[in-house]
Structures are given as structure tokens and as C-alpha cells.
């Protein structure tokens, strides 16, 4: 039977052997929590969620809230240049912890610069009351 190696560990079995990136194998996972009040933020408004140091790799995120963000309000999570870098614009109607993570963002590549992560309100305003919580999980050596 054929044996295939995951990209992250293939170097361990090469000659000469190479070590995998500490960002994705054996790295420490760090949580960056952002809690904010829902206050009718309008379409186009942004909420700063976290400042991520250089050298971190995005793993996944969890969005939660005391209430849904409404049936028509969309939110994207990313940065100033790519609003949906970590979560494409979508509604949040579960009022329960919901995982997110754009496949390109979870590539394992470490950031070279510090990054400010923002939530961008999309098609409609957020509710006028309640609490939103976004947990961002990154790994680093």
C-alpha cells in the first residue's frame, strides 16, 4: 500500500530531514477575545477586534452572541485591506458558538507584520442591544 505524508511532516522523512514550521506543528495556540456591545452599528461600520503580533498563523475563529445579529445584517472578519480575510460576509443567526475560518487564511503561513483584525458590518445594521463575542485562535512557535 502507498503511504503519503502530510505537508507539515513530509520534511521529517526526507533526506536530509527538515523540521516543520513551529507555527503549525507544536506551536502554542493563543486566543484573542473581543467582546462588544451591539448598538445598531450601521452598514460599513467597523469594530476593532484584536491586534495580532507578527509571526502568528490563523487557526480558526468562533463567533457568538447573546442574541442573533439579525436575519439581514452580515458581518465579515478580516483587516482594513481584506474585509473577509478570516470570515466572508455572512449573517449570524444562531445565537450559539459558530466556527469560522476562510480556507486561504488557515494556510499555516505566519504573518510577517502585526495585524489589526476588524469586524465589518455589511448589508444591514446590527441590533440595538445585546453582546457579541469573537474569539480568534492563532498559533505561533
Amino acid at each position: 500500500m502507498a503511504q503519503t505524508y502530510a505537508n507539515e511532516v513530509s520534511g521529517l522523512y526526507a533526506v536530509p530531514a527538515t523540521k516543520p514550521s513551529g507555527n503549525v506543528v507544536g506551536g502554542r495556540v493563543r486566543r484573542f477575545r473581543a467582546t462588544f456591545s451591539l448598538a445598531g452599528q450601521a452598514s460599513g461600520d467597523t469594530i476593532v477586534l484584536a491586534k495580532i503580533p507578527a509571526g502568528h498563523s490563523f487557526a480558526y475563529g468562533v463567533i457568538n452572541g447573546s442574541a442573533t445579529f439579525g436575519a439581514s445584517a452580515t458581518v465579515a472578519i478580516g483587516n482594513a485591506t481584506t474585509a473577509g480575510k478570516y470570515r466572508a460576509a455572512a449573517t449570524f443567526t444562531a445565537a450559539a458558538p459558530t466556527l469560522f475560518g476562510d480556507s486561504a487564511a488557515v494556510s499555516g503561513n505566519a504573518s510577517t507584520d502585526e495585524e489589526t483584525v476588524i469586524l465589518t458590518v455589511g448589508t444591514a445594521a446590527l441590533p440595538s442591544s445585546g453582546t457579541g463575542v469573537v474569539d480568534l485562535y492563532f498559533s505561533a512557535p
Side-chain angles (χ1 to χ4, degrees), residues 33-82:
R33 171 162 278 184
T35 305
F36 53 92
S37 295
L38 300 173
Q41 291 91 340
S43 176
D45 286 357
T46 60
I47 299 169
V48 176
L49 300 178
K51 186 178 280 192
I52 309 300
H56 283 65
S57 296
F58 179 71
Y60 61 95
V62 179
I63 188 169
N64 199 357
S66 64
T68 71
F69 291 3
S72 56
T74 61
V75 294
I77 298 174
N79 58 33
T81 57
T82 308

Side-chain angles (χ1 to χ4, degrees), residues 53-137:
H56 283 65
S57 296
F58 179 71
Y60 61 95
V62 179
I63 188 169
N64 199 357
S66 64
T68 71
F69 291 3
S72 56
T74 61
V75 294
I77 298 174
N79 58 33
T81 57
T82 308
K85 180 176 180 179
Y86 300 116
R87 180 184 193 264
T91 58
F92 173 67
T93 58
T98 304
L99 288 170
F100 67 86
D102 184 87
S103 60
V106 297
S107 66
N109 296 329
S111 60
T112 55
D113 298 313
E114 179 179 84
E115 178 182 33
T116 299
V117 179
I118 59 174
L119 178 145
T120 303
V121 180
T123 57
L126 294 179
S128 59
S129 64
T131 302
V133 179
V134 175
D135 285 321
L136 301 165
Y137 293 86

